[in-house]
């Protein structure tokens, strides 16, 4: 009986380790940021275009929401809390590894996101960003 249970649990473990369907769904692609990009509930946007990576913020920032990756960009750019922001970083890059995105806007601004759903990414602060578009990779 013990051998049978051990065999059963070993088979379950093997199936769990080889089932990549969920992992493939959450694979990060640079193209995920193309077209409409991603927007969070505070109306902050990050999008990849032919010109570079555009960061936009059309909200009065303050204590009403968690500090997002984009809030950190605005702080590094010394943008006042009440000022809107829209900038294209021309030499920016996006690299991926598994479900992670590593965005470098310039030598002082580096961001990280993780794909947590088909059209959802999350920054390290737990702020979620959504896209209307499906990646062409999927």
């Amino acid at each position: 009986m013990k051998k049978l249970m051990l065999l059963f649990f070993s088979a379950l473990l093997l199936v769990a380790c080889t089932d990549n369907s969920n992992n493939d769904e959450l694979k990060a692609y640079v193209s995920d940021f193309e077209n409409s990009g991603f927007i969070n509930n505070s109306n902050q946007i990050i999008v990849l275009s032919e010109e570079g990576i555009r960061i936009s913020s059309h909200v009065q920032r303050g204590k009403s929401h968690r500090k997002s990756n984009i809030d950190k960009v605005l702080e590094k750019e010394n943008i006042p809390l009440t000022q809107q922001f829209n900038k294209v970083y021309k030499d920016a890059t996006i690299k991926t590894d598994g479900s992670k995105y590593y965005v470098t806007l310039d030598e002082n601004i580096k961001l990280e996101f993780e794909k947590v759903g088909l059209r959802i990414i999350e920054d390290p602060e737990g702020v979620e960003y959504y896209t209307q578009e499906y990646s062409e990779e999927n």
Side-chain angles (χ1 to χ4, degrees), residues 33-119:
F33 282 85
E34 294 175 347
N35 302 320
S36 66
F38 291 92
I39 186 169
N40 64 27
N41 287 336
S42 296
N43 209 22
Q44 296 175 326
I45 300 168
I46 180 168
V47 63
L48 176 63
S49 67
E50 290 180 11
E51 297 93 35
I53 297 175
R54 178 180 305 277
I55 301 288
S56 298
S57 180
H58 304 287
V59 66
Q60 182 171 341
R61 300 179 332 271
K63 298 179 184 190
S64 63
H65 68 283
R66 277 183 277 185
K67 190 176 287 187
S68 70
N69 264 355
I70 294 178
D71 286 323
K72 293 175 183 177
V73 171
L74 302 176
E75 286 176 358
K76 288 186 178 189
E77 293 282 0
N78 296 314
I79 304 301
L81 289 175
T82 58
Q83 184 175 330
Q84 292 186 0
F85 182 78
N86 188 28
K87 180 175 179 178
V88 175
Y89 294 85
K90 295 182 189 283
D91 295 323
T93 62
I94 300 174
K95 295 184 180 188
T96 62
D97 183 18
S99 63
K100 300 261 187 178
Y101 304 91
Y102 301 95
V103 180
T104 302
L105 300 177
D106 64 29
E107 68 269 358
N108 296 319
I109 305 174
K110 298 177 188 323
L111 309 173
E112 184 179 313
F113 298 94
E114 183 169 8
K115 192 172 195 175
V116 296
L118 283 178
R119 297 182 298 171

Side-chain angles (χ1 to χ4, degrees), residues 4-17:
L4 185 58
M5 287 189 60
L6 182 61
L7 184 62
F8 176 73
F9 285 115
S10 296
L12 276 177
L13 182 61
L14 182 61
V15 168
C17 290

